[in-house]
Amino acid sequence: MALCASPAWAQSAEEIVVTADKRSEARAQDLPITMNAYGAEGLRARNVEDLQSLSYAIPNVQFEDIGTARGVANYSIRGVGVNSSIASVDPAVGLFVDGMYVGVNAGALTDLFDVEAVEVLRGPQGALYGRNVTGGAVLVRTRAPTDAFEARGRIAVETGTNLITEAAVSGPLAEDVLSGRLALYRADDDGWLENDFDGSSFGRNETSIYRAALRFTPAHVFEAILRLEQGAVDGDGPAGQNHAIHARDSFDFAIDNRGYAATDWEQAILEMNWRVPFGDGVVTSISGWRSVEVPWAADIDSTTNFVFHTRVLNAHEQLSQELRYAGSFGAFDLTSGVYYLDQDLLYIDERNFSPTFRRTGGGEGEFSAWAAFANVDWRASETLTLSAGLRYTHEEKDSRISRVRRAVDDLDGPGVLVPGEGVDGGSIDDRSLNFSDAPFQQDWDDLSPRLGVQWRPNGDTNLYASWSQAFRGGGANFRTASLGLAPRAYDPEEQSTFEIGLKHDLAEGRARVNAALFHNTIENMQRETNQADPISGVQQIVLNAGDAIIWGGEIEAWVEVSERLTLAAHAGYVEGEYDSITEDLNGDLLITAADYALEIPRLAPWTYGASIDYAAPLAGGEVSARLSYNHRDAAFYNDNNLGRLAEADMIDANLSFAPASARWRVSLYGENLLDEATWGGDTVLPSTAAFGFTGGERPTFSPLNKGRVLGIELRAQY
């Protein structure tokens, strides 16, 4: 059971089975990994709609949508993350859905439903999970087909108005051989915000997801699960708040371009498991395919005038294969395997500065990576386990870039079709693109080792320490907006981490304390400088800026005060600084003490929170209540520290009633009850009157998130 990851403990102590070590099912409390795991009931109690719903619930963890494009993830764990909507920038926190790695941030943040568990692994996971997990990894497992018939349904209404419906049915198709599952999800959100430009409701969003699965078990030693999924999201673009015009603590904004945000994806995952006599082990094969398109448009100037509008198209396709073995030989447990990933990426960026003046650029690339890995755990005694892991990765990236330049209007032929109407809709004019502007062919080899020790003096205490290395892939910046700067490539970012941790149960399992300390050394740190540009509006340059050190710690605890009442709390602290700087960060073209004084973006020093869970019998059933409070400090958004994400205090609540039969449950819930104004980004714009600058606060493009949300839901199962 992961700390602070159970459902209401006053209701039932749900054991969460985790798969983080890629071996057999285990308890999170038994693994030498700092992690949180949430089962279906724990996700329900926390009103989780997507991973962003957990953004304040875990110490030193931020699961953010960048805001410029719905569904573009900017995850950060322990101050290690990304700050970008550029599709060619690799993530630092890896997302794995049913064992398949999701290769780009674009389209990675969608609604969760019919989910069995979510596991959040904090710290680098390079040996077992590969590239782009320097911050950590998030594992999402959807429900598999069942051998017995079951049906589940949910209907919810939230302020917006947002109507959510979902249903799932599962059961045997051929007894003991074949079972199936079908799950459907639909959310219709009319929009929570109001655009002061015309008084219209803003934030409309429609989401549809269809998922089917088949489970084939012809023998007790073999299992195959095929999961198919198709999804579509369509809605308004970002609610851009210009902080030179509107107060940061308000939901006021006024824009003349509604924009749009869409995500369309299809994916297929085939998992096969063979139990073999060799080492009493299991051979696992996970084959994955995913195709996603993320077109979006936004009013970047965030004013009521046509100053700077943009449209973007991300198109990504990937194919992956992992084949691994896990078995035991006496006192040795072995996990080993090979992995392959192939990706195709297209990115088009159109910038509109008037109805007739457009600039277009972008990039395209073919990327591939293959790896071999092994991890050995040696149970040296009944209480002591030593482990060693190593992963070798070879990665290749072939990138071709077209700088943003004046679009040509008098050429015949179609452009790239995207949603929308009017001057900011129709098709992106890609006929001016010249992907031979800057071809880059890059490749590199990496070794990601891990050494660990675990001491279990008794069944209630787990002490562990580890040293590990991981890397985030290099690449080329597909968004080259300044005519004065040539496109450029950047090298991989490498991280080395020391960590010590304690997991300890007390009072015969009625209380728990988990704690961890970590120290990260990051070399060739990838930074994305964000500078206002008088010609292109804003330019982002991705580069290796130097080395940095990030350190901190976390503590989580809960106590079952009685059979009905449980209290929980957590706190995290993280600190970081640049150790050496090799590139200008603040835009003055010099490397000085001013650069060294800059704070690392998305690094919020303190995160902390507490929750109360209570349950009591009522009318032959049970009423349960949960109240939580979570805080996150302010953090800089830009590398030059001109943009800033405000501190926030989140209060969420849930009140539920379920009859003794547990066939249905009705809940009232609230999220962000303090109505805090937050936003996903804070992009600096030119300080001119056109961008709303009047000598006060510098203008920024800051996409607003929702504020207070109230909802009621009914869940039923059979």
Side-chain angles (χ1 to χ4, degrees), residues 400-418:
R400 296 169 297 281
I401 297 172
S402 177
R403 283 189 285 189
V404 173
R405 54 165 55 83
R406 178 75 178 268
V408 179
D409 294 322
D410 58 355
L411 297 178
D412 295 327
V416 177
L417 296 179
V418 295

Side-chain angles (χ1 to χ4, degrees), residues 332-407:
F332 295 91
D333 298 329
L334 171 67
T335 303
S336 61
V338 293
Y339 177 79
Y340 177 76
L341 173 69
D342 184 80
Q343 299 174 272
D344 293 313
L345 177 64
L346 171 66
Y347 175 81
I348 298 178
D349 184 342
E350 180 185 274
R351 304 184 175 208
N352 301 322
F353 298 99
S354 74
T356 59
F357 183 61
R358 302 197 303 276
R359 303 174 68 85
T360 309
E364 62 179 2
E366 293 85 41
F367 313 145
S368 65
W370 69 266
F373 62 92
N375 186 87
V376 177
D377 295 331
W378 174 34
R379 299 185 301 277
S381 69
E382 292 183 357
T383 60
L384 183 66
T385 300
L386 305 176
S387 64
L390 182 65
R391 189 184 192 99
Y392 167 76
T393 301
H394 177 77
E395 185 170 14
E396 297 180 0
K397 287 192 172 183
D398 183 3
S399 304
R400 296 169 297 281
I401 297 172
S402 177
R403 283 189 285 189
V404 173
R405 54 165 55 83
R406 178 75 178 268

Side-chain angles (χ1 to χ4, degrees), residues 32-111:
I33 304 172
T34 306
M35 65 178 297
N36 295 74
Y38 298 84
E41 186 64 15
L43 296 172
R44 179 206 62 79
R46 288 164 175 78
N47 317 317
V48 172
E49 296 290 347
D50 54 30
L51 287 175
Q52 194 168 0
S53 300
L54 295 172
S55 194
Y56 290 83
I58 311 173
N60 293 333
V61 170
Q62 300 181 40
F63 291 149
E64 306 289 33
D65 184 325
I66 193 172
T68 50
R70 196 189 314 272
V72 177
N74 270 197
Y75 297 162
S76 174
I77 297 180
R78 295 175 169 177
V80 178
V82 298
N83 219 28
S84 181
S85 60
I86 303 174
S88 59
V89 174
D90 282 343
V93 176
L95 174 63
F96 297 80
V97 177
D98 292 319
M100 178 187 72
Y101 170 67
V102 177
V104 294
N105 284 319
L109 183 58
T110 57
D111 291 0

Side-chain angles (χ1 to χ4, degrees), residues 135-150:
V138 181
L139 317 181
V140 176
R141 281 185 285 133
T142 61
R143 284 193 173 102
T146 55
D147 293 329
F149 176 81
E150 73 169 28

Side-chain angles (χ1 to χ4, degrees), residues 9 22 36 59 87 106 154 197 219 326 342 347 493 552-553 571 598 611 694 707:
W9 278 84
K22 291 193 174 184
N36 295 74
R154 174 189 176 224
F197 171 67
D342 184 80
Y347 175 81
E493 174 183 287
L598 294 172
S611 64
T694 58

Side-chain angles (χ1 to χ4, degrees), residues 1-2 5-7 13-31 35-40 115-121 139-142:
M1 181 72 62
S6 63
E14 178 192 30
E15 277 294 339
I16 312 262
V17 172
V18 299
T19 58
D21 62 352
K22 291 193 174 184
R23 293 187 58 80
S24 58
E25 298 175 345
R27 296 171 65 246
Q29 196 70 1
D30 294 331
L31 297 179
M35 65 178 297
N36 295 74
Y38 298 84
V115 167
E116 179 180 342
V118 173
E119 304 172 36
V120 180
L121 316 183
L139 317 181
V140 176
R141 281 185 285 133
T142 61

Side-chain angles (χ1 to χ4, degrees), residues 72-214:
V72 177
N74 270 197
Y75 297 162
S76 174
I77 297 180
R78 295 175 169 177
V80 178
V82 298
N83 219 28
S84 181
S85 60
I86 303 174
S88 59
V89 174
D90 282 343
V93 176
L95 174 63
F96 297 80
V97 177
D98 292 319
M100 178 187 72
Y101 170 67
V102 177
V104 294
N105 284 319
L109 183 58
T110 57
D111 291 0
L112 295 175
F113 82 106
D114 203 39
V115 167
E116 179 180 342
V118 173
E119 304 172 36
V120 180
L121 316 183
R122 306 204 294 272
Q125 308 295 324
L128 284 179
Y129 288 91
R131 50 196 278 282
N132 302 339
V133 289
T134 50
V138 181
L139 317 181
V140 176
R141 281 185 285 133
T142 61
R143 284 193 173 102
T146 55
D147 293 329
F149 176 81
E150 73 169 28
R152 299 172 180 267
R154 174 189 176 224
I155 183 168
V157 180
E158 297 178 346
T159 47
T161 304
N162 184 19
L163 176 62
I164 303 169
T165 56
E166 62 178 88
V169 60
S170 179
L173 301 176
E175 189 173 357
D176 298 329
V177 176
L178 185 66
S179 57
R181 188 177 194 92
L182 179 64
L184 311 173
Y185 177 90
R186 174 75 178 179
D188 291 291
D189 192 343
D190 292 335
W192 189 92
L193 300 161
E194 179 180 326
N195 185 359
D196 293 340
F197 171 67
D198 55 11
S200 63
S201 175
F202 197 91
R204 178 191 65 86
N205 188 58
E206 298 177 358
T207 301
S208 299
I209 307 175
Y210 312 94
R211 186 183 299 142
L214 289 173

